[in-house]
């Protein structure tokens, strides 16, 4: 096997302390930069896990004001989780009455699966999936429950909306009611071949608040979690810790999951995820010794061995893993050079776009043209002519009109 060796990351003490606290391990809090610690906490969205550990520390945590302040936020997070649970139960029942098939994605049910508690994952929305045929009816049901469809700020006409969904590969609509946000999907953004009927056929039924609801089967649910985390550069440790808990489950197999994801063109994403876990030195990771790849933690780093046909995939995974490091330390925007460098390394299959979609994204109008001039749909073709001139204008004048 061809072997790659990657050194363990030298974690800042604040990141190390936060990670150990989230995992329920003993951490050293003396002399931390508490402003940096707080910024990391806000970025990585793992407050419920931290609060659970802080409460176990008891009076010992009181000597650190930042930890005591974090513990006092427990009621706020608990109230938010209860609102989402109640909203999910309400929508689940309403869809069932109308005969609308629904799959719950992530959210409270994933938290229950991984942590045994529906409130251990922060979340700003509920991700639900229905069939494309039921999308319109599902939207009407949500409106009947008081939700409003969020208009996209730039997709303000029917043609612009279709164009935006096409080039961004957006396969969901967003609904709001008070503090509850629902993303109503009709397909995974990265999937181009699997239909809702395929996913529904492999679904798993779960008991939920006196009734039952459906989630995607493991062969669909697990790859989706890894792809989602990698697509966002692991910028939230929340996602990585979900994957860490997932790999502990009885019967979980790295090799089997790699085979599933390799078929979808995203095998490098799985290897990347494994490398990130090892380089952070998460506890009790088991070495992998498979027919096609192996992963072994040792003195100073982790060794990834791969069969000859996986050398390119392994190199891509190692490069992606290197790109994750700046994301862990500071939240990055798509316009930041660190994010752009990482995004260029991602397998294109992560985005699930066709060649036509990539071409349109490269040469077609962008939000910058929509901001510059508001054209009716019958003049939409002018945006294609305007784009190259607008690109030059923005480079010369910094985007000012």
């Amino acid at each position: 096997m061809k072997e790659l060796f990657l050194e363990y990351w030298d974690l800042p003490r604040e990141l190390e302390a936060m990670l150990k606290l989230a995992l329920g391990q003993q951490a050293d809090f003396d002399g931390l930069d508490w402003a940096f610690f707080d910024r990391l906490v806000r970025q990585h969205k793992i407050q419920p896990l931290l609060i659970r550990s802080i409460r176990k520390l008891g009076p010992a945590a009181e000597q650190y004001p930042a930890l005591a302040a974090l513990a006092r936020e427990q009621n706020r997070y608990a109230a938010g989780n209860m609102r989402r649970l109640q909203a999910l139960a309400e929508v689940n029942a309403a869809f069932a009455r109308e005969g609308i098939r629904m799959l719950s994605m992530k959210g409270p049910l994933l938290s229950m699966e991984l942590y045994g508690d529906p409130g251990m994952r922060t979340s700003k929305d509920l991700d639900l999936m229905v069939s494309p045929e039921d999308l319109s009816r599902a939207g009407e049901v949500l409106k009947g429950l008081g939700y409003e469809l969020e208009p996209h700020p730039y997709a303000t006409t029917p043609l612009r909306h279709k164009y935006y969904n096409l080039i961004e590969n957006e396969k969901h609509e967003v609904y709001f009611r008070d503090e509850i946000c629902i993303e109503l999907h009709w397909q995974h953004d990265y999937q181009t071949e699997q239909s809702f009927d395929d996913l529904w056929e492999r679904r798993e039924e779960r008991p939920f608040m006196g009734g039952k609801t459906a989630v995607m089967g493991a062969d669909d649910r697990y790859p989706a979690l890894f792809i989602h985390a990698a697509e966002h550069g692991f910028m939230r440790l929340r996602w990585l810790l979900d994957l860490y808990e997932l790999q502990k489950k009885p019967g979980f197999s790295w090799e089997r999951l790699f085979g599933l994801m390799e078929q979808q063109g995203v095998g490098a994403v799985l290897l990347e995820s494994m490398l990130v876990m090892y380089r952070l030195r998460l506890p009790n990771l088991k070495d992998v010794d498979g027919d096609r790849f192996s992963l072994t933690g040792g003195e100073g780093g982790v060794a990834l061995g791969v069969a000859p046909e996986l050398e390119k995939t392994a190199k891509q995974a190692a490069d992606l893993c290197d790109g994750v490091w700046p994301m862990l330390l500071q939240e990055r925007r798509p316009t930041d050079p660190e994010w752009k460098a990482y995004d260029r390394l991602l397998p294109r299959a992560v985005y699930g776009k066709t060649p036509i979609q990539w071409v349109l994204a490269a040469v077609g109008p962008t939000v910058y043209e929509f901001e510059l001039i508001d054209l009716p749909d019958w003049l939409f073709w002018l945006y294609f002519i305007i784009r190259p001139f607008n690109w030059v204008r923005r480079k010369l004048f910094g985007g000012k009109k």
Side-chain angles (χ1 to χ4, degrees):
M1 284 192 174
K2 174 73 172 180
E3 188 172 283
L4 293 174
F5 183 82
L6 288 85
E7 294 181 349
Y8 294 129
W9 283 319
D10 184 15
L11 306 186
R13 290 186 60 236
E14 293 75 16
L15 179 59
E16 182 179 16
M18 183 186 70
L19 191 53
K20 285 185 173 182
L21 185 63
L23 295 171
Q25 295 182 299
Q26 185 174 354
D28 179 12
F29 300 111
D30 291 334
L32 294 185
D33 179 343
W34 288 105
F36 183 31
F37 180 90
D38 183 68
R39 181 170 66 75
L40 289 172
V41 169
R42 304 299 166 187
Q43 173 185 335
H44 290 291
K45 310 294 185 188
I46 53 175
Q47 289 92 334
L49 294 174
L50 297 173
I51 292 170
R52 180 177 65 177
S53 294
I54 292 171
R55 290 180 64 82
K56 290 180 181 178
L57 289 175
E62 294 296 328
Q63 61 181 303
Y64 304 106
L67 299 185
L70 188 56
R72 288 194 292 271
E73 296 185 24
Q74 180 184 20
N75 290 340
R76 179 166 69 88
Y77 288 107
N81 284 322
M82 181 54 66
R83 285 193 296 270
R84 282 185 287 275
L85 277 171
Q86 292 171 342
L88 179 57
E90 179 187 38
V91 173
N92 185 55
F95 282 3
R97 286 194 299 269
E98 296 298 323
I100 297 173
R101 298 174 297 168
M102 182 194 87
L103 293 170
S104 180
M105 307 158 64
K106 301 184 295 183
L109 291 176
L110 178 62
S111 182
M112 192 69 192
E113 176 185 359
L114 297 180
Y115 303 100
D117 184 332
M120 284 297 106
R121 297 183 76 255
T122 58
S123 176
K124 65 180 179 62
D125 53 33
L126 293 171
D127 290 275
L128 310 175
M129 186 184 293
V130 299
S131 71
E133 295 79 14
D134 285 336
L135 182 65
S136 178
R137 280 203 304 142
E140 292 304 314
V141 170
L142 289 177
K143 291 175 182 176
L145 296 175
Y147 289 87
E148 295 183 0
L149 178 64
E150 179 189 50
H152 191 275
Y154 305 113
T156 52
T157 70
L159 184 55
R160 280 194 214 173
H161 192 267
K162 289 180 180 179
Y163 174 80
Y164 173 80
N165 282 346
L166 178 64
I167 63 168
E168 295 297 328
N169 210 40
E170 296 285 357
K171 297 171 183 173
H172 66 265
E173 296 178 341
V174 180
Y175 289 82
F176 276 96
R177 186 186 71 187
D178 300 326
E179 298 180 10
I180 300 297
C181 169
I182 291 178
E183 286 194 3
L184 190 63
H185 299 251
W186 60 90
Q187 190 181 17
H188 265 306
D189 292 344
Y190 73 89
Q191 287 175 324
T192 56
E193 297 179 0
Q194 298 186 70
S195 68
F196 179 86
D197 289 337
D198 294 331
L199 299 175
W200 185 257
E201 186 68 24
R202 296 189 292 269
R203 75 190 184 281
E204 296 174 8
E205 300 283 349
R206 297 283 174 83
F208 178 64
M209 297 187 75
K212 64 178 183 179
T213 191
V215 300
M216 289 184 295
D219 286 355
D220 301 306
R221 188 167 72 253
Y222 292 0
L225 294 174
F226 280 87
I227 291 170
H228 179 265
E231 181 185 359
H232 293 85
F234 291 92
M235 216 170 331
R236 306 269 186 265
L237 277 174
R238 175 183 70 194
W239 302 320
L240 184 71
L241 294 181
D242 287 347
L243 304 182
Y244 174 66
E245 293 298 325
L246 185 65
Q247 59 89 34
K248 296 180 186 178
K249 293 180 68 64
F252 180 88
S253 167
W254 286 113
E255 286 191 281
R256 171 173 168 72
L257 187 56
F258 179 80
L260 292 170
M261 295 179 68
E262 187 181 29
Q263 291 174 13
Q264 300 176 29
V266 290
V269 163
L270 183 72
L271 296 182
E272 171 199 7
S273 306
M274 297 170 72
L275 290 171
V276 172
M277 289 185 200
Y278 271 82
R279 296 183 78 180
L280 284 171
R281 285 178 277 195
L282 299 186
N284 303 318
L285 286 172
K286 296 179 180 179
D287 290 342
V288 179
D289 186 15
D291 295 333
R292 302 183 67 206
F293 68 91
S294 64
L295 202 62
T296 307
E299 186 68 28
V302 56
L304 171 63
V306 295
E309 70 272 15
L310 294 180
E311 288 185 21
K312 184 177 179 181
T313 300
K315 178 63 167 60
Q316 184 180 22
D319 290 342
L320 282 166
C321 184
D322 287 339
V324 166
W325 178 242
M327 311 284 195
L328 293 174
L329 300 179
Q330 182 176 333
E331 190 161 358
R332 309 288 175 169
R333 298 179 180 276
T335 53
D336 291 339
E338 295 87 355
W339 176 259
K340 289 181 178 180
Y342 176 84
D343 184 64
R344 284 193 293 268
L345 295 169
L346 276 174
R348 295 300 91 184
V350 163
Y351 296 108
K353 293 184 180 181
T354 64
I356 291 178
Q357 287 174 303
W358 285 113
V359 170
L360 277 175
V363 304
T366 68
V367 295
Y368 297 112
E369 285 69 62
F370 299 151
E371 285 180 331
L372 181 67
I373 184 170
D374 187 17
L375 295 174
D377 279 353
W378 66 278
L379 289 176
F380 186 86
W381 56 273
L382 283 175
Y383 282 123
F384 287 86
I385 299 174
I386 293 170
R387 175 173 177 174
F389 295 100
N390 194 34
W391 182 87
V392 173
R393 180 191 64 82
R394 289 191 298 110
K395 291 297 181 182
L396 292 176
F397 302 107
K400 297 180 180 178
K401 293 185 180 180

